[in-house]
Amino acid sequence: MESKLANLEQRTEFYRKKWLEEIARADLDALTNLPNRGAYDKRFNEEFKRWLRHPDPLCIAVIDVDHFKKINDKYGHSVGDKTLQIVAKTLRTSLRETDFLARYGGEEFVCLMINTDATNMLTPLEKLRKAVSSIPFKVKNDRLNITVSVGVTMLVATDNVHTAFDRADKALYEAKDAGRNRICYKK
Ligand SMILES: Nc1nc2c(ncn2[C@@H]2O[C@H](COP(=O)(O)OP(=O)(O)OP(=O)(O)O)[C@@H](O)[C@H]2O)c(=O)[nH]1
């Protein structure tokens, strides 16, 4: 009887661990291993509620790889995938551990810069932009110059969970229109 109980406990623990692993996996993007869009939505909702109670400055940056389609078209999807993995790693290591970085979709990433305001968000983003443009990426003897454009905004009192992201996204399009490989801030 005792050994049956012990066996049952072991099996329960095994399935509990598997279940927890499954939950963690569901929040990760399989290609880059970064949190995925769903994980971002969850985290942003939590941060937004926290921000309503304690409005410490919070910035959202949307980061997009420039002319990514050309990389896919010229070198194939697997080189495109590898590029995304390297960019993701570079972005992650350029940011503070407290900043939340996710793959939003395709070649677009989003970063929640916790406790960061308009005066101190530019330095880390500039570091990140430079880090990506200095990746020594070579394919078939071609040196690939990978760059990112960034749109960033800070949450303001009139924001809801959608407006801040939309503003950062608009800033990103301004960065693209202005020639790419740059950061645009929108109030
Ligand atoms: N290899 C690969 N390509 C992807 C993935 N997700 C999206 N893409 C490709 O990313 C490309 C994005 O192209 P566009 O939206 O035109 O953007 P872009 O070429 O980066 O141009 P700009 O953003 O204007 O600088 C599309 O060709 C998609 O097929 C992925 O997981 N892997």
Side-chain angles (χ1 to χ4, degrees):
M1 181 69 179
E2 253 176 44
S3 77
K4 266 193 182 168
L5 258 182
N7 193 283
L8 197 64
E9 268 173 20
Q10 260 180 9
R11 277 172 56 188
T12 309
E13 184 53 22
F14 174 80
Y15 285 113
R16 197 183 71 87
K17 271 194 186 150
K18 281 241 166 268
W19 177 65
L20 289 175
E21 278 167 19
E22 211 45 60
I23 290 175
R25 233 194 318 272
D27 274 348
L28 287 184
D29 167 55
L31 181 73
T32 60
N33 228 23
L34 287 178
N36 60 19
R37 163 82 189 268
Y40 164 77
D41 287 340
K42 259 194 255 170
R43 178 66 186 265
F44 183 62
N45 276 306
E46 285 165 19
E47 290 298 338
F48 188 72
K49 281 186 203 149
R50 212 184 330 263
W51 178 79
L52 289 175
R53 276 184 285 120
H54 307 283
D56 293 329
L58 176 63
C59 285
I60 299 186
V62 184
I63 304 156
D64 190 278
V65 183
D66 295 327
H67 297 304
F68 184 65
K69 190 175 178 307
K70 283 187 187 163
I71 298 177
N72 270 340
D73 291 349
K74 187 164 182 193
Y75 302 102
H77 235 253
S78 62
V79 171
D81 283 355
K82 188 82 200 146
T83 307
L84 288 177
Q85 286 172 331
I86 292 172
V87 169
K89 210 170 170 186
T90 308
L91 297 178
R92 185 58 275 172
T93 50
S94 306
L95 288 162
R96 289 196 196 118
E97 269 184 39
T98 48
D99 294 331
F100 178 83
L101 176 72
R103 183 180 181 202
Y104 194 75
E107 81 294 13
E108 187 163 291
F109 300 85
V110 60
C111 176
L112 292 175
M113 304 174 81
I114 315 289
N115 216 348
T116 304
D117 65 18
T119 56
N120 53 27
M121 117 287 259
L122 213 56
T123 309
L125 290 178
E126 196 48 42
K127 181 179 154 214
L128 168 156
R129 186 193 65 76
K130 282 191 183 138
V132 173
S133 70
S134 347
I135 297 172
F137 205 79
K138 258 188 148 186
V139 188
K140 298 177 191 156
N141 289 333
D142 288 351
R143 160 95 167 81
L144 275 195
N145 190 21
I146 306 159
T147 59
V148 288
S149 296
V150 183
V152 60
T153 195
M154 191 173 86
L155 262 73
V156 292
T158 48
D159 272 327
N160 61 42
V161 284
H162 305 293
T163 49
F165 183 90
D166 291 348
R167 205 163 53 246
D169 209 31
K170 274 197 186 129
L172 168 66
Y173 280 92
E174 284 177 16
K176 294 269 179 186
D177 278 348
R180 296 175 174 80
N181 190 20
R182 67 195 64 212
I183 299 159
C184 264
Y185 166 62
K186 215 172 176 62
K187 270 193 193 165

